[in-house]
Amino acid sequence: MLVPLEWLKQYTDAGVDADAFCEKMVMSGSNIESVTRYGGELEKVVVGRILSVEKHGNSDHLLVTRVDAGLGEPLQIITGAPNTFAGALVPVALPGGSLPGGVRIKKGKLRGMESEGMLCSAAELGFADKVVPLAHKDGIWILEGDYAPGEDFAEALRLREVTVDFEITPNRPDCLSIIGMAREAAAVFETPLFYPETLPHREGGKAREYIDVVVKNPELCPRYIARIAANVRIKQSPWWMQKRLMYAGMRPINNIVDISNYVMLEYGHPIHAFDIRNIEGGKIIVDTAEEGRRFTTLDGAERVLPADTLMINDGVKAVAVAGVMGGLNSEIRDDTAMILIEAANFNGDSVRLTSKKLGLRTEASSRYEKGVDPGLAEEAVERVCFLIEQLGAGEMIAGSVDVYPDREKRGPIPARVDRVNRVLGTGMKRRDMEDILKRLEMRVAGSGNVMEVLPPSVRQDLRAEEDVIEEIARIYGYDRLETTLPKGNSTAGMPAARGFTEFARDVLSGAGYSEIQTYSFARPESAEWLNVPEGAEARRFVRILNPLGDENSAMRTMLLPNMLETLGRNCARNIEAARAYEIGGVFFRDSGGELPRERRSMAVGAYGGSMDFYELKGVLEILFGAMGVRGVSYEAESGNAAFHPGRCARISRDGGVLGVMGELHPDVAEKYGICARCYVCELDFGAVIAGADTMSYYKPLPKYPAVFRDVALLVDERVTVKSIETVIKTAAGKNLESLSLFDVYRGEQVPDGMKSAAFNLVYRSPERTLTDEEAAEDCERVLDALRRELNAVLREV
């Protein structure tokens, strides 16, 4: 919500500068997105009067003007603006002056003729194109009013002002208005609040002679007010109104449209005006449309209406999409002489669905979506009537048509003084609380400990005692509340899954890996890029109905694609080495229910430096060891086309697959723009947690010495180390304490098609000292089993 402070001061004056104003408003709970200061970059920009206009001798589109800029002698200025004419008052940037964006003005020549300055458009003076008045949208800015040549342009038009952009939360639609923010400022700074003048409603008038209103869906349109203005004269609005609209982010159009927009911004209640000569049958009928009906809105677009779209109709046709946008067939034109002014209240859910289905969002719809107080309609329409008469834009017909069958009645909210103090940790007296609430225009009744609080009708968000406590807290000042720890008797701790997640983060971060967090969305092509086979679970994408784009059109089934995109971006930025991990959810389409099935997953990825297959495996072993995941095995995996053949391993435990790791296939790495050998892993983190055990177990130091034996085995190249270890563990018996591989050799001393695998075996008995003979028997039993099952022989040195 853009709030020009000059406009706000019309209703309450905080008496402080913009910085102090913003600081105190933030402390009261208002979030400020930005502060814009206008006019500060304009230097040596003055008002000028064009004395003459001639065509440029060497150009078809350039004009030569002589301009009185208050310097004594007229200036010759070349311009291409088509709306230039003698007698016009215009902004002139003099040589040596500057414009927004750092533009400096110098004397120069255009097509051989000297130009001594620049005639400026509104856009060149720093106004966004969307707010430039319609009358000056194309060409230079022609000033309305009486200004003296040579006057400082920013001072003459009072452009040096400040606009504050407030972020309004969905529960505070009352703040989507200048008066709403003035109400907040008056409460915060303890200043009086002044409401704008309105035209008193004159009963028993003639409005009903011109229009009849029928509301067929009162649940979608709780209130509809119609007033009539005659002898309408369409022209530009006065500059003070145009300027306020521009600083509030709206384009001035003409006086009637501008008054409607002005009051919408002022009160937060949308207003719409129809040319009454296009309202056939003298009727307004509020009803839903049939599906497929076509309607052309004010922006000139023909739209197909969804079923149950609430429409404003006359006796023959539709004239507006309720709460969203009027129709082209009833817009205000230059020759409009009589208008119907609509101040209606529409159901927020209905407007939101209509706006979404039509893909059309407006200032009006954004307010209705959040909720507009039906009680505001009368104040807003009477303010419109006042401005029409004040600005000489027309004459109001007495009376109105007000359809309001179910007037909302709200009771008071009980609020206990002692509970307010208990929640906030304060010792406020009741009178202090009442003072805060009255500053927010709430009425307070009751006695003793219980306050009966009746909020103004615009505060639709206040329903319970907790809401009243929040209002007292924020105006009292969050910065004044003492910091205390919450009290309670709960002994609940962190959920186990979250605890293991935090533990894994600590381990991986300690190993030098950086955590990343990516969107839960994915592009379906990612399955193709990773060569995922048809029918695989990773191809069962959950599609998004309203995606942000093709690259985010499905929920991810793997973390690897996002990990690889991250590593690819690092490569593109010449980062020589990167190590990263992510823990997050993956989602799969589940035929058994409407909701997708979610699973926790972990991805680890790295490239550059000393990174290789065994370093990644070592990091995983550290992780599993720290988490107490025992019995993890690694088996060669050749069927995963995302990985380099022969450099990929399947990670298993107790017969279940935990994940896969290895070197990324070069073709896949190229698709993601990864510049070096890349090693990645993805784990089913839920399965890892299921096998985790971080409980510490006591084991006494061994009493008896160990016996060590090293064996080097010649086996077929196709025999895996895991299969050798399995045979050794099975045959060795209970005295085998540990087993480790310390060498794999292929070379001249080993026959072709064979390899040498050397293991260290540690024997120890918990009951006595083993003899060499016992260790030798165990070793011989192991060698017999290896010869029998794997054709392994003891390598002779």
Side-chain angles (χ1 to χ4, degrees), residues 385-673:
C385 297
F386 173 83
L387 290 172
I388 286 175
E389 291 198 344
Q390 184 193 47
L391 302 184
E395 299 169 4
M396 297 308 305
I397 300 295
S400 68
V401 180
D402 188 353
V403 180
Y404 194 12
D406 300 314
R407 293 181 180 270
E408 184 182 25
K409 295 180 180 179
R410 295 180 62 185
I413 303 170
R416 293 162 289 177
V417 173
D418 60 350
R419 185 159 190 266
V420 173
N421 283 322
R422 192 165 61 250
V423 171
L424 301 182
T426 56
M428 278 189 284
K429 303 292 185 183
R430 173 181 169 125
R431 62 176 177 271
D432 299 324
M433 298 181 189
E434 285 188 9
D435 177 63
I436 288 174
L437 295 172
K438 288 176 181 177
R439 280 153 55 189
L440 290 165
E441 297 194 321
M442 301 185 200
R443 287 184 287 174
V444 183
S447 61
N449 185 52
V450 179
M451 299 181 292
E452 298 289 337
V453 181
L454 185 63
S457 61
V458 293
R459 292 301 304 272
Q460 301 284 309
D461 58 309
L462 302 182
R463 299 288 176 180
E465 184 180 35
E466 289 76 12
D467 300 325
V468 176
I469 295 173
E470 181 184 7
E471 294 300 294
I472 294 173
R474 67 186 188 84
I475 300 301
Y476 176 78
Y478 290 127
D479 54 326
R480 295 174 61 191
L481 299 178
E482 291 186 14
T483 301
T484 58
L485 293 174
K487 297 178 181 179
N489 57 2
S490 173
T491 57
M494 183 183 294
R498 181 178 172 187
F500 280 121
T501 301
E502 294 300 320
F503 189 77
R505 287 190 173 113
D506 290 341
V507 172
L508 291 172
S509 297
Y513 284 71
S514 299
E515 183 177 11
I516 64 172
Q517 288 185 343
T518 62
Y519 287 121
S520 296
F521 310 128
R523 63 175 83 227
E525 295 85 357
S526 61
E528 300 287 345
W529 292 6
L530 289 175
N531 301 318
V532 176
E534 294 291 338
E537 186 181 45
R539 284 185 177 267
R540 297 177 61 189
F541 289 102
V542 178
R543 300 285 179 165
I544 298 173
L545 294 178
N546 295 303
L548 298 174
D550 291 340
E551 69 278 8
N552 297 311
S553 61
M555 301 299 289
R556 63 188 180 188
T557 57
M558 301 176 285
L559 297 184
L560 277 184
N562 291 354
M563 172 63 70
L564 296 178
E565 287 182 7
T566 301
L567 296 178
R569 280 195 294 273
N570 278 270
C571 273
R573 288 160 176 75
N574 297 320
I575 305 299
E576 295 181 357
R579 283 157 174 71
Y581 71 92
E582 179 176 13
I583 302 173
V586 292
F587 308 85
F588 304 93
R589 191 174 68 251
D590 193 342
S591 58
E594 295 183 2
L595 295 177
R597 178 167 50 87
E598 182 177 358
R599 191 178 74 202
R600 297 290 286 174
S601 188
M602 171 190 282
V604 182
Y607 71 83
S610 61
M611 194 67 204
D612 60 13
F613 179 93
Y614 296 104
E615 183 172 327
L616 178 59
K617 181 172 179 285
V619 169
L620 296 179
E621 288 176 340
I622 292 172
L623 176 66
F624 292 142
M627 294 182 68
V629 182
R630 300 174 180 85
V632 177
S633 62
Y634 301 84
E635 302 176 56
E637 171 64 66
S638 58
N640 195 320
F643 291 86
H644 195 295
R647 299 177 188 173
C648 175
R650 183 171 61 254
I651 307 170
S652 307
R653 179 182 179 273
D654 292 341
V657 177
L658 295 181
V660 64
M661 63 158 290
E663 181 181 335
L664 196 66
H665 196 288
D667 293 343
V668 177
E670 183 179 356
K671 290 175 183 176
Y672 285 96

Side-chain angles (χ1 to χ4, degrees), residues 22 217 242:
C22 292
N217 308 83
Q242 291 192 49

Side-chain angles (χ1 to χ4, degrees), residues 95-112:
S98 64
L99 299 177
V103 177
R104 305 293 299 184
I105 306 302
K106 300 178 181 179
K107 288 184 180 182
K109 287 189 176 182
L110 291 174
R111 296 290 181 93

Side-chain angles (χ1 to χ4, degrees), residues 23 41 175 245 319 406 506 646:
E23 181 179 357
E41 295 180 280
C175 288
L245 288 173
V319 293
D406 300 314
D506 290 341

